C-alpha cells in the first residue's frame, strides 16, 4: 500500500495538476482576476487533465478501434490486400540504412498473416516519400514482405501517395487497371474508420483489417483515472484522427 502511495506521488504530472487545481480553486475563491480570464484558464486546465487521463484516451481511441474488431479469417471474395504505409526510420544495420517504423512493420506483419489464410492474391503496398532524398515507404514494405515469405510476383508497389486520400486515389487507378474491386485494407486500427471510408468513396469495396490495437481489455488498469504522461503521448494520434474525420467529410473525401 505504501509503495503504491509513493508511486502515485512520484508521478510529477499528477502532482503538478493537483497543485495547479488547488491554485485555481483559490483564485476562484478570492476572485482577484477577471471572471472570463479565470474561466479560460480553468477550461484549459480541465482539458489538460482530461487528455492526460488514460480512461479518456482509452475511450476516444476505442470508439475508433472498436468499429473494426480484429479479423480472424479472410473472406473468399477478397481479390487483393492493400497495405497503407506509415514511415521509415534510420537503421544502420538494415539494408540501405533504413527500416520500417513500428506501425508500417505491424501492418506488413498483419497483411502477411491474412495473405497466408487463403489462396495467393495481389498485395498492393501504398506509400510515398515522407521526406526528400529518402526511399519510398512502399519500397521498403515490399522488401520486408518478400523477406517474410510473400511471393515478390504478387506484390504491387504504389510509391507516390503521401496521405490517406492520395493512397485511395492512387490505389483505385491500379486496382481498376487489374479489375480488382474487393480488397482487404490493412492499417492501424485507429486509422481504419477514415481509411475505409476514403477507399469506399472511390468506389472500392474495402474490408477493414486492423493492427496495433491499444484500447483492449488487457490495456485497462486500475489507475485509469489517474493522470499519466503516457496518455498525453498517445493523445496526439487520437486527436488527429478525430479532427481528420470531419475535415475529410467537409472536403468530400469520405
Amino acid at each position: 500500500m505504501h509503495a503504491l502511495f509513493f508511486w502515485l506521488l512520484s508521478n510529477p504530472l499528477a502532482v503538478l495538476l493537483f497543485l495547479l487545481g488547488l491554485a485555481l480553486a483559490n483564485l476562484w475563491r478570492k476572485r482577484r482576476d477577471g471572471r472570463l480570464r479565470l474561466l479560460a484558464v480553468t477550461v484549459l486546465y480541465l482539458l489538460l487533465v482530461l487528455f492526460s487521463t488514460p480512461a479518456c484516451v482509452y475511450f476516444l481511441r476505442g470508439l475508433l478501434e472498436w468499429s473494426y474488431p480484429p479479423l480472424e479469417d479472410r473472406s473468399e471474395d477478397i481479390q487483393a490486400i492493400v497495405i497503407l504505409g506509415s514511415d521509415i526510420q534510420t537503421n544502420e544495420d538494415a539494408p540501405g540504412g533504413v527500416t520500417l517504423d513500428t506501425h508500417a512493420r505491424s501492418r506488413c506483419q498483419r497483411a502477411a498473416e491474412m495473405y497466408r489464410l487463403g489462396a495467393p492474391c495481389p498485395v498492393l503496398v501504398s506509400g510515398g516519400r515522407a521526406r526528400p532524398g529518402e526511399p519510398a515507404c512502399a519500397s521498403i514494405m515490399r522488401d520486408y514482405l518478400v523477406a517474410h515469405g510473400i511471393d515478390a510476383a504478387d506484390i504491387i508497389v504504389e510509391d507516390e501517395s503521401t496521405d490517406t486520400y492520395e493512397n485511395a486515389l492512387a490505389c483505385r487507378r491500379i486496382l481498376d487497371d487489374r479489375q480488382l474491386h474487393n480488397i482487404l485494407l490493412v492499417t492501424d486500427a485507429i486509422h481504419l474508420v477514415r481509411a475505409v471510408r476514403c477507399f469506399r468513396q472511390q468506389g472500392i469495396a474495402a474490408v477493414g483489417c486492423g493492427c496495433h490495437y491499444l484500447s483492449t481489455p488487457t490495456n485497462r488498469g486500475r489507475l485509469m483515472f489517474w493522470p499519466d504522461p503516457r496518455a498525453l503521448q498517445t493523445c496526439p494520434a487520437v486527436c488527429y484522427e478525430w479532427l481528420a474525420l470531419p475535415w475529410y467529410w467537409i472536403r468530400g473525401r469520405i
Side-chain angles (χ1 to χ4, degrees):
M1 187 67 180
H2 289 86
L4 177 61
F5 175 74
F6 285 115
W7 181 85
L8 292 175
L9 288 181
S10 67
N11 181 345
L13 176 64
V15 173
L16 290 173
L17 286 176
F18 176 73
L19 294 176
L20 183 57
L22 290 179
L24 275 173
N26 187 53
L27 287 175
W28 274 105
R29 184 176 64 85
K30 294 184 177 180
R31 297 276 178 87
R32 290 182 176 175
D33 206 344
R35 183 185 293 266
L36 287 179
R37 283 184 290 182
L38 267 179
L39 182 61
V41 173
T42 302
V43 169
L44 292 175
Y45 167 75
L46 292 176
L47 287 174
L48 178 60
V49 172
L50 187 65
F51 288 122
S52 63
T53 304
C56 173
V57 179
Y58 179 94
F59 180 71
L60 289 176
R61 186 180 186 108
L63 288 176
L64 296 170
E65 293 185 349
W66 302 331
S67 299
Y68 292 92
L71 291 182
E72 297 182 359
D73 54 25
R74 189 180 108 197
S75 175
E76 293 182 358
D77 63 350
I78 293 297
Q79 299 173 301
I81 299 173
V82 176
I83 317 171
L84 302 188
S86 176
D87 201 358
I88 60 175
Q89 57 192 21
T90 304
N91 185 341
E92 295 180 357
D93 297 327
V98 295
T99 188
L100 298 174
D101 72 353
T102 302
H103 298 279
R105 192 161 55 248
S106 295
R107 297 173 190 185
C108 287
Q109 291 169 354
R110 186 70 176 120
E113 293 172 2
M114 302 308 292
Y115 177 86
R116 298 187 185 100
L117 289 179
C121 66
V123 178
L124 173 56
V125 290
S126 177
R129 293 171 175 79
R131 291 162 290 274
E134 290 186 347
C137 183
S139 300
I140 308 301
M141 291 166 70
R142 174 198 56 205
D143 297 340
Y144 184 92
L145 290 171
V146 171
H148 286 76
I150 305 301
D151 190 345
D154 287 334
I155 301 175
I156 308 166
V157 176
E158 183 286 298
D159 57 4
E160 297 295 331
S161 58
T162 59
D163 60 31
T164 306
Y165 177 64
E166 291 183 5
N167 289 151
L169 288 179
C171 288
R172 185 201 64 195
R173 291 191 288 267
I174 294 173
L175 294 169
D176 284 349
D177 288 344
R178 291 166 171 76
Q179 297 297 305
L180 302 172
H181 305 293
N182 300 323
I183 68 162
L184 196 66
L185 184 61
V186 183
T187 185
D188 283 22
I190 193 176
H191 183 214
L192 271 176
V193 172
R194 182 161 57 96
V196 168
R197 292 182 183 179
C198 225
F199 273 72
R200 288 178 179 172
Q201 183 73 2
Q202 297 300 319
I204 303 169
V207 175
C209 179
C211 62
H212 206 66
Y213 287 85
L214 293 182
S215 289
T216 63
T218 56
N219 286 333
R220 286 203 301 258
R222 54 180 177 173
L223 300 175
M224 290 287 284
F225 294 95
W226 188 260
D228 192 313
R230 288 172 295 185
L232 282 176
Q233 290 176 348
T234 59
C235 192
V238 177
C239 291
Y240 180 89
E241 284 301 322
W242 280 110
L243 291 172
L245 279 170
W247 176 246
Y248 267 49
W249 179 79
I250 290 170
R251 303 194 68 183
R253 296 180 173 183
I254 60 176

